[in-house]
């Protein structure tokens, strides 16, 4: 599920409270549930331990939105507070890397991705993993693997996505910011069709 911030920064800063209310509708009797009026989509806006968590519930149906909000709150309650400020790099090195299995070649290639993250991805070293966004993952992949073949890009995506998926399973993250990213399809080789004369030779 992709996260969205309930913020006027993304939808134009309102000049007044009434203008904000024209964009957002707080659902009466349901704590933390809002509806973005232009699209009709419902959003969760929940505060836990002083931090506000906001996420699109990806539905326009009120009953379904209430159920998704309850599930979102349950995920937040289960999130391990000890890892609140852990960076993605630290998670990769300390938690994910020891779980890796496979042939020596496979392990070497995956560890090479981790080294690239450590060397070139500043956000992974400095920003809490819980604040990582899909757009930041895509930017890193494009910057450092976009000029290589699809297999390199896919391998890096696999490592990053699997590491974040482990964080979700361990209840360190509520959602995987790379969960919706797809592998790139290898380009088909161009095969020239022989001419009639070439068939005769």
């Amino acid at each position: 599920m992709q996260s969205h911030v309930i913020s006027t920064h993304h939808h134009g800063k309102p000049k007044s409270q009434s203008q904000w209310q024209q964009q957002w509708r707080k659902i009466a009797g349901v704590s933390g549930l809002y509806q973005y009026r232009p699209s009709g989509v419902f959003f969760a806006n929940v505060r836990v331990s002083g931090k506000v968590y906001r996420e699109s519930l990806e539905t326009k149906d009120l009953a379904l939105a209430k159920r998704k909000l309850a599930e979102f709150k349950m995920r937040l309650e289960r999130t391990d507070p000890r890892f609140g400020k852990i960076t993605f790099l630290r998670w990769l090195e300390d938690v994910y890397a020891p779980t890796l299995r496979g042939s020596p070649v496979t392990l070497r290639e995956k560890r090479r991705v981790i080294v690239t993250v450590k060397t070139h991805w500043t956000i992974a070293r400095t920003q809490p993993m819980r604040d990582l966004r899909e757009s930041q993952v895509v930017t890193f992949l494009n910057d450092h693997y976009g000029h290589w073949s699809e297999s390199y890009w896919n391998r890096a995506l696999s490592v990053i996505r699997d590491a974040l998926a482990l964080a979700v399973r361990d209840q360190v993250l509520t959602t995987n910011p790379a969960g919706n990213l797809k592998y790139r399809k290898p380009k088909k080789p161009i095969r020239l069709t022989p001419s009639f004369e070439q068939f005769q030779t």
Side-chain angles (χ1 to χ4, degrees), residues 115-167:
V115 170
T116 301
V117 170
K118 182 175 183 177
T119 306
H120 298 289
W121 199 1
T122 303
I123 286 175
R125 300 194 306 266
T126 60
Q127 175 180 287
M129 180 172 61
R130 67 185 182 187
D131 294 333
L132 191 61
R133 297 290 177 262
E134 179 181 299
S135 60
Q136 295 171 327
V137 176
V138 173
T139 298
F140 169 75
L141 290 172
N142 288 340
D143 286 348
H144 297 284
Y145 294 94
H147 58 290
W148 296 101
S149 68
E150 289 78 7
S151 62
Y152 283 94
W153 199 93
N154 292 342
R155 185 180 303 123
L157 170 59
S158 178
V159 170
I160 293 171
R161 188 169 58 191
D162 289 352
L164 293 169
L166 177 61

Side-chain angles (χ1 to χ4, degrees), residues 54-95:
R54 303 177 177 98
E55 182 171 283
S56 170
L57 299 176
E58 300 181 345
T59 182
K60 300 179 183 180
D61 181 79
L62 178 58
L64 180 57
K66 289 180 179 179
R67 292 197 296 271
K68 287 192 169 186
L69 175 64
E71 294 171 358
F72 180 63
K73 289 180 177 180
M74 289 179 62
R75 293 202 310 271
L76 290 178
E77 291 174 358
R78 293 195 301 265
T79 301
D80 193 332
R82 295 175 300 169
F83 294 97
K85 295 184 179 180
I86 190 171
T87 64
F88 181 51
L89 176 60
R90 183 183 165 198
W91 179 262
L92 276 174
E93 293 183 323
D94 295 352
V95 182

Side-chain angles (χ1 to χ4, degrees), residues 15-72:
K15 297 179 180 179
S16 65
Q17 180 67 18
S18 62
Q19 188 172 349
W20 186 91
Q21 292 174 345
Q22 290 176 3
Q23 294 180 339
W24 294 97
R25 179 170 73 97
K26 187 180 186 305
I27 306 305
V30 184
S31 176
L33 185 59
Y34 291 79
Q35 185 180 39
Y36 185 54
R37 295 180 188 273
S39 65
V41 174
F42 288 96
F43 285 74
N45 182 35
V46 181
R47 182 181 295 274
V48 177
S49 301
K51 178 178 175 59
V52 177
Y53 295 86
R54 303 177 177 98
E55 182 171 283
S56 170
L57 299 176
E58 300 181 345
T59 182
K60 300 179 183 180
D61 181 79
L62 178 58
L64 180 57
K66 289 180 179 179
R67 292 197 296 271
K68 287 192 169 186
L69 175 64
E71 294 171 358
F72 180 63

Side-chain angles (χ1 to χ4, degrees), residues 99-116:
T99 70
L100 293 177
R101 297 292 184 271
S103 68
V105 173
T106 298
L107 292 176
R108 183 171 63 250
E109 291 174 344
K110 289 184 176 181
R111 291 189 178 114
R112 187 176 298 165
V113 173
I114 296 176
V115 170
T116 301

